[in-house]
Amino acid sequence: MAKKPPQKLTQEGYDKLKAELKELEEVERPKIAQLLKDAIAEGDLSENAAYEEAKDAQARMEGRVNEIKQILNTAEIVKGTKGGKIDIGSTIKVKTPGGTEREFIIAGGGGSNPSEGKISYDSPLGRGFMGHKKGDKVDVETPGGKKKFEILDVK
């Protein structure tokens, strides 16, 4: 199996994943263990819906714990603009095809939140902006077709 490339994260994204991992291991894991213990105490496990639900919750939680550990163990933390070029962590201001100005933060893996203006470096917009600099006009392939943006500022 080919080794996955490291996931690029901002320090903020890395810290959020560390906090989520701590919550899962220290809070959720004991809760699920108690649910399993209570369900087992009810007896006959072959027809025990509470036991099945707790086992499913445990499997999902452990899967997420393993996923976060994998990301954190291989993560590459990036710190924004390099030589004026857009990279993960950059805050950019662009002129949209409609002529309005928008500000975006280029987020690392798992850190996007479009309603807060945080777009993933791996999204269509993020991929289109990466590596460009102030003054560039960029054609971005979006789900709605190709759009032209002008980069007004990069921080």
Side-chain angles (χ1 to χ4, degrees):
M1 185 161 103
K3 188 176 178 183
K4 289 176 79 174
Q7 187 155 359
K8 294 181 179 186
L9 300 172
T10 60
Q11 186 64 52
E12 177 187 12
Y14 184 88
D15 292 344
K16 281 183 181 179
L17 283 175
K18 293 269 298 185
E20 181 182 352
L21 180 62
K22 183 176 181 177
E23 173 79 9
L24 289 172
E25 290 181 329
E26 295 178 7
V27 177
E28 294 303 316
R29 190 177 272 159
K31 277 185 192 176
I32 292 172
Q34 186 61 48
L35 289 173
L36 282 167
K37 184 177 176 185
D38 293 347
I40 290 169
E42 290 177 19
D44 186 11
L45 297 180
S46 65
E47 295 182 20
N48 187 328
Y51 176 75
E52 290 303 319
E53 286 176 25
K55 290 294 284 180
D56 288 346
Q58 180 185 42
R60 283 190 307 276
M61 190 263 318
E62 292 298 336
R64 181 65 179 151
V65 164
N66 289 334
E67 177 184 25
I68 292 171
K69 284 182 176 180
Q70 169 105 21
I71 292 168
L72 293 176
N73 287 335
T74 62
E76 176 186 336
I77 297 176
V78 292
K79 297 183 184 329
T81 306
K82 295 178 185 165
K85 291 187 176 184
I86 297 171
D87 203 347
I88 296 171
S90 295
T91 299
I92 64 171
K93 185 184 284 186
V94 301
K95 185 183 284 187
T96 68
T100 60
E101 292 183 9
R102 296 274 318 264
E103 190 168 279
F104 297 108
I105 298 169
I106 307 297
S112 67
N113 186 338
S115 65
E116 293 178 5
K118 295 178 179 179
I119 58 172
S120 171
Y121 75 98
D122 202 26
S123 68
L125 280 177
R127 281 192 306 271
F129 295 144
M130 291 290 285
H132 288 279
K133 58 187 182 313
K134 181 178 178 176
D136 286 356
K137 290 183 171 58
V138 181
D139 288 322
V140 178
E141 192 64 50
T142 70
K146 194 175 273 195
K147 310 252 186 210
K148 186 178 276 305
F149 293 83
E150 182 181 352
I151 299 171
L152 303 174
D153 197 17
V154 179
K155 300 180 214 166

